[in-house]
Amino acid sequence: MTAAGPQDGLVAQWWATAVSRVEPGIIELREHPVQDLIGRTTFVGTIWLMLRGELPRAGQAGLLEAALVAGVDHGPQAPSIAAARMAATCGVGLNSAMATGVNMLGDVHGGAGQQCVTLLNEIVERHGRDAARPTRDAARPTRDAEQASPDVEFERVVAEVVAEWQARSRYLPGFGHRFHPRDPRRDPLLALVDRAVADGLVAGAHLRAARAVEELLNRGRKAGRPVPMNIDGATAVVYAELGFAAPLARGLFVLSRSVGILAHAWEETGQGRRNKSPMPPSMVPVHLTAPTARP
């Protein structure tokens, strides 16, 4: 703060923030002068700094970057991309076209990563509570307690949590894909998390939970009809292992996908179309007959 005045009272407190400090001649991001970050810190490192309040280690930044790269685009099959491309032909400007696409990212399209982090957190936390809970007679454990292994207990918790989620919805966030028999982004992301676990960078509890859910969902299924982990599940593992809160999984996905939205909107502006609709002009929507007779 500089000289005393209104900035020392209610006005300054109204927008009080630890994220940045901006005064004449001063710009700081989380107490780091911006001139010290420019040319020395990557964009991904700056994202981590802004959200977490500290600069990441190299391995943390690399893992976060991999998840952001994986979620950049999924073509016009994704409603957010298609909407941005249509908006770009309506004369609204590139920023509004991007906003149109970003605003399509809700609970159903774009929110599964956040939901999957919540699911994995629930498994990890419940298993931790159950493992810490003492038996009724710690001095003389029952035969069942003697025979129960940590793996059996973990599988029980996984099955219990999955059953609770499936009781609320037929869709389990982070698993299965309407387009890919096996999401090509899954394996490289999980391989990076495996390496991070081996290097001691992350604990691996959420990775273990995700793989256990995937195994449970595919137990007894026909060979040609698997339910594999998808991009939302794989990135949820990354974000959860790195310690990001579940809502930030959605925010980070939006940040990632906005790059693809920008690229598609920009491409569409160069193709010369005006008022592009969801289908070619030669196609006419099917007319539905009214379910009840008119009076």
Side-chain angles (χ1 to χ4, degrees), residues 214-231:
E214 186 178 50
E215 181 181 348
L216 176 66
L217 293 176
N218 287 283
R219 197 173 296 160
R221 290 186 67 86
K222 295 180 180 179
R225 302 187 65 185
V227 183
M229 194 184 312
N230 58 34
I231 181 61

Side-chain angles (χ1 to χ4, degrees), residues 51-75:
L51 294 177
R52 305 286 285 269
E54 60 184 10
L55 289 167
R57 288 180 281 166
Q60 291 172 324
L63 201 53
L64 174 59
E65 183 174 40
L68 293 173
V69 168
V72 160
D73 189 19
H74 201 254

Side-chain angles (χ1 to χ4, degrees), residues 14-284:
W14 188 257
W15 292 112
T17 175
V19 173
S20 61
R21 177 188 174 208
V22 180
E23 297 181 13
I26 298 173
I27 301 176
E28 293 180 355
L29 307 180
R30 295 289 190 179
E31 301 187 6
H32 291 261
V34 71
Q35 61 267 30
D36 294 346
L37 298 172
I38 296 171
R40 296 183 179 91
T41 304
T42 65
F43 183 50
V44 172
T46 305
I47 293 169
W48 185 290
L49 172 65
M50 296 294 279
L51 294 177
R52 305 286 285 269
E54 60 184 10
L55 289 167
R57 288 180 281 166
Q60 291 172 324
L63 201 53
L64 174 59
E65 183 174 40
L68 293 173
V69 168
V72 160
D73 189 19
H74 201 254
Q77 294 92 347
S80 54
I81 299 294
R85 295 192 71 122
M86 286 189 290
T89 69
C90 297
V92 297
L94 200 56
N95 59 317
S96 293
M98 287 185 67
T100 299
V102 167
N103 285 335
M104 297 288 286
L105 299 173
D107 288 343
V108 176
H109 172 42
Q114 174 182 351
Q115 296 156 12
C116 189
V117 171
T118 301
L119 168 68
L120 300 180
N121 282 343
E122 196 170 327
I123 292 171
V124 170
E125 291 166 7
R126 188 177 301 187
H127 179 250
R129 288 197 304 269
D130 289 356
R133 186 179 300 144
T135 59
R136 281 177 292 180
D137 189 347
R140 292 186 301 169
T142 64
R143 184 179 300 275
D144 288 342
E146 289 174 334
Q147 293 176 347
S149 70
D151 286 344
V152 169
E153 271 303 299
F154 184 71
E155 290 175 4
R156 179 191 65 77
V157 170
V158 170
E160 184 177 274
V161 172
V162 168
E164 291 171 5
W165 278 68
Q166 290 181 322
R168 297 192 293 267
S169 172
R170 55 181 285 210
Y171 298 104
L172 198 66
F175 299 88
H177 204 287
R178 62 183 177 83
F179 193 79
H180 301 292
R182 184 177 181 87
D183 197 313
R185 299 163 290 188
R186 172 200 180 278
D187 292 350
L189 283 174
L190 295 193
L192 289 172
V193 180
D194 279 328
R195 189 183 310 163
V197 173
D199 292 342
L201 186 69
V202 298
H206 294 86
L207 174 62
R208 181 189 181 200
R211 282 186 166 139
V213 172
E214 186 178 50
E215 181 181 348
L216 176 66
L217 293 176
N218 287 283
R219 197 173 296 160
R221 290 186 67 86
K222 295 180 180 179
R225 302 187 65 185
V227 183
M229 194 184 312
N230 58 34
I231 181 61
D232 299 305
T235 53
V237 169
V238 172
Y239 296 141
E241 289 287 351
L242 289 174
F244 286 100
L248 284 177
R250 185 184 303 206
L252 288 166
F253 172 73
V254 171
L255 187 61
S256 168
R257 182 54 59 87
S258 67
V259 177
I261 290 172
L262 170 61
H264 279 276
W266 176 242
E267 181 184 61
E268 192 67 52
T269 61
Q271 293 183 350
R273 295 186 181 94
R274 292 166 59 88
N275 297 324
K276 185 175 183 177
S277 72
M279 60 183 69
S282 60
M283 297 182 66
V284 178

